[in-house]
Amino acid sequence: MQRAAERRARGSGGKAAWKLHIIRQLRHRDRAQHGAFQELIQSYNKLLEKSVILKDLTEKIQTEPVMSPRSRPPARVPPDAPLLAGSEAPPTLQEQISAFRDYNGELAVQACELKKGVQERDEELQKQKSSISFLSTLVDDHQRQCECLENEMVRLVCSNDDLKEDYDQLLTRRRLLDRQLHDAAEKQRELLESLTKKKAMEAEQQNNFNERRKEEIWRRVVKKALHKSVSAEADLRHQRCLDLRDSTSLVLSRSHEKEKTCPRKPRSQSMISLGPSKLMGALRSWFDFGKRPDDCSPDDDWCRPSSVCVICCLPRRALYSKEVHDSEIHAVKFSPNSKMVATGGADRVVKIWDVVGGQLQCQQVLHGCNGGITSIEFDSSGAQVLAASFDGSAHLWKLDSKSSDTLTGHMGKVTAARFKMSPYRAVTSSMDRTIKEWDLHKAACIRSIVVPSYCSDVVCSDSYMISGHHDKKIRFWDSRSRVLIREVTLEEKVTSLFMEPEQRQLLSCSRDDVLRLIDLRMGSVLLTFRADGFKCGCDWNKAILSPDATYSMSGSSDGTIFIWNTQTGLLERSLSGEHRAAVNAVAWSVSGEYVVSVDRGRKAVLWCEY
C-alpha cells in the first residue's frame, strides 16, 4: 500500500511532493521502531500461546471424573512447567494447575509491565512526533532564512562591486591630486627660496648702506670730538646737534625720541677717556637705524626701553642672595627700565621685585596660575607681564590696573610666552605641538601653527617666528602664511632660544651642553660655546645674550654661571659660590648693570660689577 501510495504521489507530480515526504518519514519510523518492539511482541505471542494451553487444560479437568490417586493416570506436564521441589514422583494434575495458575499470574504481571512499557513507548513516540514536527517547522524557517540571506548576499556583492568601482575612481583622483599638490609644494618651496634669497640680498645691501652711512657719521663726530674734551652729557648734546645737521629728518626724530625716553646719567670723565670701544658703543646707541621700522605709525604704540646700554659690565660680586619662592624657580626677567625683576616657579605665583640699593624688595605678587610658571616676559612699556604655565594656558597681568587675562586653548603645558613688537600681540608655544598667536585685546587666538615635535621655546618678530624643539631642530616660520622657511638641526634637543634686539643673531641652548650663536640672515651657526664643568641642568634651562650682544650667559647644573665672549667664543668668566643647586635661568638688565640668576633651591642672586 505504501509503494502504491508512493507511485500515486509520483504520478501526481510536484503538487503531491509533501505526501511522498510523509510516506518516507513513516517508513523510516517503522524501520526504526520495529526492532525496539520486536521482543515485546514475541513475549506477548508466547503469553497468548500459554494462555490457550492453560485454557484447554482447565476445560479437560472440569470434564474428567474424579479418580483416586492410584487409579488416576499420570498427567501430561508441559515441557516448560515447573516441577515441585523435593518430589521425585510426577506432579498431580491439581499441583500442575496450581503451578500453572502461579505461572499465569507471573505472566499477567509481566503483561502489565509490558503494557505499561508499551504506553511509555507510545508517549515517547508521541513526543518524538511532536519534536519531529517542531524541527520540521524550524528547518523550513531556516531554509527560508537561508534563501533571504542568499538574496541579501547577492545584493551586497553587487553593492560592493559598485563601491569598489567608486573607490578605484576616488583613489585615482586622489593620486592625481597628490601629484598636483606635490608639484604645487615644490613650486611654493622654490618661490620661497628665491624670495628668501632676494630678501637676504636686499637686506645685505641695506645693511651695507646703513653701515657706510653710520661710519661716515661716526667719522665726522669722532673727528670733531677729538679736538676737545667735554663731559659725556655735553658731548651727547653736541652729537645730537651734529645729527641735526648731517642726518636726515628720520634720524632727527629718532634722536629726539631717545632724548625723551632715555635720559643719561652725567659722568665726570670725558668721552675721550672712555676709549675707542666705549666711544663707538655710545655712538652706536644714538645712531642705530634698525631700532624702529620706518613705516611704524603712532597708533601702533611701540615703546622702547628707557635705559640704553652703552656697554655691558661683567658681573663679579653678589650683592643680594635670598630664597624668594616656596619652591624651585624656573624663570626670571628684567623690566625694560631695569628697575623691576619678575620671578616665577613651581609655587604658581609671579613676584615683582624692585631693585633698590643693590637689593630686591618685593613689590607685588601675581596670582591666578594653576600650574608652575615656565617663562616670564615684560612688554616694551613694562606695564604688562606675560607668563606661561604648566596648566595649559598663558596669563597676562596689567601692573597699573592690577587686572589679568587668561589665554586658554593649548592642550598641553605652555613652555614659552612672548610679546611681539606690538604690545597687543603675543605668541605661545606648547608641548601639544602647536604655536599660537594671540590678540591680547580680545584674549583670543588668531593664528595657530602645528609643529612636528614638542616645542620647548619660541622667539618672534613681526614677520617670522623661531621655535626650538625636542627633535633637535630649530624651525623658522612665516608669521602670516604659517609656512616653514628654514630648519637648523642640532645635536640634542633645544632647551631655550634668545634673540638679540637687533634681530640679527640667535642664541640657542641644548642638552648636549653647548650654546650656539646663529646668524639669522644666513641661517648658519657662527660660534659654539663650551666650557669644562658646564652642564645643562634641565629641559628648560635658559641662556641669554647681554643687551649689547657682547656676551652670552647660562647657568650650570652645579650652580656655576658661565659667561662667554661672543666675538672670540672664549670663556670670559664663571661665577660660583652662591648657588647650591642647578641654575635654571638668568636675566641681564637692559642697562647692562645687573644680572639676576635663579635656581632650583628657591634662591635668587643679584650680581653686579662693583
Side-chain angles (χ1 to χ4, degrees):
M1 292 178 66
Q2 292 179 353
R3 294 179 180 176
E6 290 181 3
R7 286 195 297 270
R8 287 195 299 271
R10 291 174 182 172
S12 61
K15 296 182 179 180
W18 61 274
K19 296 181 181 180
L20 181 60
H21 179 68
I22 292 174
I23 291 170
R24 288 176 181 173
Q25 287 185 348
L26 291 174
R27 293 181 64 185
H28 177 70
R29 187 185 67 180
D30 184 53
R31 286 194 300 269
Q33 296 180 357
H34 180 73
F37 293 97
Q38 187 67 28
E39 183 180 357
L40 178 62
I41 294 170
Q42 291 177 0
S43 300
Y44 186 71
N45 291 334
K46 289 181 181 180
L47 180 61
L48 291 177
E49 291 175 358
K50 292 180 180 180
S51 298
V52 172
I53 295 171
L54 182 60
K55 183 177 179 182
D56 294 340
L57 290 175
T58 304
E59 291 177 355
K60 288 179 180 180
I61 291 170
Q62 291 178 357
T63 57
E64 290 180 355
V66 179
M67 298 175 66
S68 62
R70 292 182 180 180
S71 61
R72 186 178 301 163
R76 294 180 181 179
V77 181
D80 54 351
L83 297 176
L84 294 175
S87 171
E88 296 180 357
T92 62
L93 186 60
Q94 190 67 31
E95 293 174 351
Q96 290 179 0
I97 290 173
S98 300
F100 277 117
R101 286 178 178 174
D102 296 337
Y103 184 67
N104 192 15
E106 294 177 358
L107 291 176
V109 171
Q110 292 180 3
C112 292
E113 292 178 354
L114 291 174
K115 186 177 180 180
K116 184 178 180 182
V118 170
Q119 291 177 357
E120 292 177 354
R121 294 294 180 90
D122 289 338
E123 292 177 358
E124 184 178 356
L125 181 61
Q126 189 67 27
K127 291 180 180 179
Q128 290 181 355
K129 287 182 180 180
S130 301
S131 177
I132 289 171
S133 177
F134 173 73
L135 292 175
S136 299
T137 306
L138 188 62
V139 167
D140 295 337
D141 293 340
H142 287 172
Q143 288 179 351
R144 287 193 296 270
Q145 290 180 3
C146 288
E147 292 176 358
C148 295
L149 291 175
E150 288 177 356
N151 296 332
E152 184 69 17
M153 184 184 68
V154 173
R155 188 183 66 80
L156 290 176
V157 168
C158 297
S159 178
N160 287 337
D161 293 337
D162 297 338
L163 290 175
K164 187 176 182 304
E165 292 179 359
D166 296 339
Y167 173 76
D168 293 336
Q169 294 177 0
L170 291 175
L171 183 61
T172 303
R173 186 177 178 185
R174 176 183 173 276
R175 291 174 179 172
L176 178 61
L177 292 176
D178 286 341
R179 286 196 297 270
Q180 293 177 358
L181 178 61
H182 183 268
D183 296 339
E186 289 292 331
K187 291 181 181 179
Q188 184 180 10
R189 185 179 61 82
E190 293 176 359
L191 290 175
L192 285 175
E193 290 180 355
S194 61
L195 182 61
T196 303
K197 292 180 181 178
K198 184 177 179 181
K199 286 185 177 181
M201 293 177 60
E202 292 177 354
E204 187 67 23
Q205 293 176 358
Q206 186 66 30
N207 290 337
N208 294 334
F209 174 76
N210 290 339
E211 290 293 335
R212 290 194 301 269
R213 190 172 184 180
K214 290 177 187 178
E215 290 178 0
E216 183 180 356
I217 295 175
W218 294 342
R219 195 178 297 111
R220 294 177 184 176
V221 174
V222 171
K223 184 176 180 181
K224 293 183 179 181
L226 290 175
H227 290 83
K228 56 183 178 179
S229 176
V230 295
S231 65
E233 183 178 3
D235 188 70
L236 291 175
R237 291 176 180 174
H238 179 66
Q239 183 178 347
R240 292 193 203 99
C241 294
L242 292 175
D243 184 56
L244 288 172
R245 293 194 302 268
D246 298 333
S247 63
T248 61
S249 60
L250 177 62
V251 178
L252 176 61
S253 63
R254 289 174 183 169
S255 300
H256 281 293
E257 198 173 287
K258 291 182 180 180
E259 175 65 20
K260 294 178 181 180
T261 60
C262 306
R264 316 270 300 166
K265 295 181 179 181
R267 296 186 180 181
S268 59
Q269 58 181 354
S270 66
M271 183 65 76
I272 298 177
S273 64
L274 292 174
S277 62
K278 296 184 179 180
L279 180 60
M280 291 297 107
L283 294 177
R284 287 190 184 96
S285 66
W286 290 100
F287 294 97
D288 193 349
F289 298 98
K291 289 291 183 181
R292 180 170 175 171
D294 294 338
D295 56 351
C296 178
S297 63
D299 296 335
D300 293 337
D301 194 15
W302 289 49
C303 298
R304 290 295 176 190
S306 60
S307 298
V308 176
C309 175
V310 177
I311 187 169
C312 285
C313 303
L314 285 177
R316 297 176 179 270
R317 188 170 63 91
L319 295 179
Y320 179 83
S321 178
K322 185 180 179 181
E323 292 184 359
V324 296
H325 279 264
D326 296 334
S327 185
E328 62 177 296
I329 309 173
H330 296 157
V332 60
K333 188 70 175 180
F334 268 99
S335 64
N337 59 8
S338 303
K339 296 180 180 179
M340 293 187 299
V341 178
T343 59
D347 57 356
R348 305 178 183 181
V349 297
V350 175
K351 293 186 177 182
I352 308 298
W353 307 84
D354 285 333
V355 182
V356 179
Q359 292 186 350
L360 300 179
Q361 298 180 0
C362 185
Q363 175 191 8
Q364 192 175 354
V365 179
L366 306 177
H367 298 275
C369 293
N370 296 321
I373 306 298
T374 57
S375 75
I376 301 175
E377 186 84 3
F378 280 95
D379 71 339
S380 56
S381 65
Q384 298 183 106
V385 175
L386 182 64
S389 175
F390 280 159
D391 61 359
S393 60
H395 300 267
L396 177 67
W397 291 276
K398 296 180 180 179
L399 301 181
D400 51 356
S401 61
K402 296 183 180 181
S403 61
S404 63
D405 289 319
T406 302
L407 310 179
T408 58
H410 285 288
M411 304 301 294
K413 299 177 180 178
V414 180
T415 55
R418 309 289 184 193
F419 285 102
K420 298 192 75 173
M421 299 300 291
S422 171
Y424 305 117
R425 291 286 187 272
V427 175
T428 58
S429 63
S430 173
M431 295 187 74
D432 63 357
R433 302 184 180 185
T434 59
I435 300 173
K436 295 182 181 293
E437 185 176 350
W438 304 84
D439 184 351
L440 299 183
H441 280 304
K442 304 176 182 179
C445 177
I446 60 176
R447 192 175 290 110
S448 180
I449 301 176
V450 179
V451 297
S453 177
Y454 290 164
C455 188
S456 57
D457 202 357
V458 65
V459 293
C460 58
S461 68
D462 275 353
S463 59
Y464 59 87
M465 294 178 290
I466 307 173
S467 57
H469 299 271
H470 281 198
D471 63 354
K472 311 175 186 180
K473 291 185 178 181
I474 300 174
R475 293 180 171 89
F476 296 74
W477 307 88
D478 187 276
S479 296
R480 296 182 178 180
S481 63
R482 296 176 289 180
V483 175
L484 180 63
I485 302 174
R486 185 184 303 153
E487 283 186 355
V488 177
T489 304
L490 305 184
E491 297 296 329
E492 280 293 337
K493 56 186 176 182
V494 183
T495 64
S496 70
L497 299 174
F498 188 90
M499 185 165 57
E500 66 162 343
E502 298 291 335
Q503 299 182 3
R504 297 178 183 177
Q505 294 177 342
L506 177 73
L507 181 69
S508 69
C509 180
S510 55
R511 289 292 283 176
D512 56 352
D513 307 327
V514 178
L515 275 64
R516 293 174 175 86
L517 190 63
I518 301 173
D519 187 353
L520 294 179
R521 292 172 293 181
M522 305 303 295
S524 58
V525 178
L526 298 177
L527 288 173
T528 58
F529 307 106
R530 297 182 175 88
D532 294 337
F534 173 70
K535 185 174 180 60
C536 187
C538 59
D539 289 345
W540 53 84
N541 186 49
K542 303 294 190 298
I544 62 169
L545 290 171
S546 61
D548 60 354
T550 306
Y551 304 102
S552 62
M553 177 188 296
S554 180
S556 177
S557 60
D558 60 355
T560 305
I561 300 173
F562 292 84
I563 305 174
W564 291 271
N565 192 309
T566 57
Q567 304 298 323
T568 63
L570 301 177
L571 181 66
E572 286 284 342
R573 184 172 299 167
S574 62
L575 306 175
S576 60
E578 292 296 331
H579 291 286
R580 297 292 184 267
V583 177
N584 290 334
V586 289
W588 209 317
S589 64
V590 181
S591 62
E593 185 178 2
Y594 295 108
V595 170
V596 174
S597 57
V598 294
D599 63 13
R600 289 187 179 181
R602 304 175 291 180
K603 181 183 289 188
V605 180
L606 178 66
W607 306 83
C608 71
E609 181 185 16
Y610 48 86

